[in-house]
Amino acid sequence: MRKDNTIWYESNRYSVPIGTYDRTDKEVAVRVTEDNRLIIYEEDSGHILAEHTLCLHRKGELIRNNNHGRDRTKGVQAYVDHVVQRFTDASEARRYLEEIRKQKPRYIRDQLQAIEKSVTVAGTKAADQALAYCLKNSLYRAADFADAVSHYKDKAQQQAVEKPTQSDLKLLVQVDAAKLKAKPQIREFKTYERILGGG
């Protein structure tokens, strides 16, 4: 691995994402596929760093992926910071989002976008409850978070629609309070059978 975030392979240089070179003796390995694709990956973990079409006809070329020139980690970190602010407990939110980032590094932007959308639609209270539930149950996917948010949002709406109590009712005419408390007489079933001619 060179300081300019490239590797040498058969007299050509191939780029890896900026920040891959970290001043350590990081070992990378390469593999060539049958369709002449060069795969560059971390030797220890097997994590794929870059993929290029092999340059077979020229020497001394720099084969570069345009995305490798951007430090995408800064953009992702700023996005994580932004989404963290949508929660009441920033430290728990950061812990949750960083775990998603660790488990799904290639899809972290999509995950963050989906989580932010869920919070926007449902509000902070449901999002905080969903966050606690997902952390407790180790659910580190935006889809699981969205399901939990939806559950807590629906639950809050059901609680808001309570049945009116007697004191909430407004009568159109004044009625004696004693009459409102009156209960109808309860008769035995045989009485109704006799009246209807069944007994």
Side-chain angles (χ1 to χ4, degrees), residues 60-178:
E61 294 290 321
L62 170 62
I63 293 78
R64 181 181 199 89
N65 181 328
N66 289 335
N67 286 338
H68 292 170
R70 288 186 226 125
D71 189 351
R72 294 173 63 82
T73 58
K74 287 184 181 172
V76 170
Q77 190 57 53
Y79 201 2
V80 168
D81 295 341
H82 170 72
V83 176
V84 160
Q85 294 172 3
R86 306 298 305 269
F87 295 89
T88 305
D89 189 338
S91 65
E92 288 292 276
R94 186 172 303 284
R95 183 165 71 92
Y96 181 66
L97 297 177
E98 290 296 344
E99 184 60 32
I100 291 176
R101 185 178 184 179
K102 190 169 102 180
Q103 291 187 18
K104 301 178 183 356
R106 294 183 67 184
Y107 306 104
I108 185 60
R109 289 177 187 273
D110 296 335
Q111 295 284 310
L112 290 170
Q113 186 176 18
I115 288 169
E116 183 178 22
K117 182 179 178 183
S118 297
V119 176
T120 302
V121 170
T124 305
K125 185 176 179 183
D128 286 343
Q129 291 172 317
L131 174 65
Y133 177 81
C134 289
L135 280 168
K136 180 181 175 185
N137 295 287
S138 300
L139 301 172
Y140 297 108
R141 293 183 326 140
D144 295 330
F145 180 81
D147 289 344
V149 166
S150 179
H151 167 76
Y152 287 111
K153 180 184 171 194
D154 292 347
K155 189 175 177 182
Q157 287 174 342
Q158 288 172 358
Q159 290 173 348
V161 181
E162 295 176 359
K163 293 180 181 177
T165 61
Q166 186 73 25
S167 62
D168 292 334
L169 298 175
K170 302 285 185 220
L171 300 176
L172 296 175
V173 292
Q174 288 292 11
V175 179
D176 183 10

Side-chain angles (χ1 to χ4, degrees), residues 10-80:
E10 293 189 353
S11 302
N12 288 313
R13 291 183 301 146
Y14 293 86
S15 69
V16 293
I18 193 169
T20 302
Y21 174 77
D22 57 4
R23 296 185 174 89
T24 64
D25 294 331
K26 182 184 286 187
E27 294 288 325
V28 296
V30 296
R31 176 170 45 94
V32 178
T33 64
E34 290 178 5
D35 59 345
N36 289 323
R37 301 286 296 167
L38 178 72
I39 311 294
I40 306 168
Y41 60 95
E42 290 180 357
E43 197 168 43
D44 294 339
S45 66
H47 175 70
I48 294 175
L49 297 168
E51 188 175 331
H52 296 281
T53 302
L54 271 178
C55 182
L56 300 172
H57 307 294
R58 296 185 308 275
K59 303 292 181 195
E61 294 290 321
L62 170 62
I63 293 78
R64 181 181 199 89
N65 181 328
N66 289 335
N67 286 338
H68 292 170
R70 288 186 226 125
D71 189 351
R72 294 173 63 82
T73 58
K74 287 184 181 172
V76 170
Q77 190 57 53
Y79 201 2
V80 168

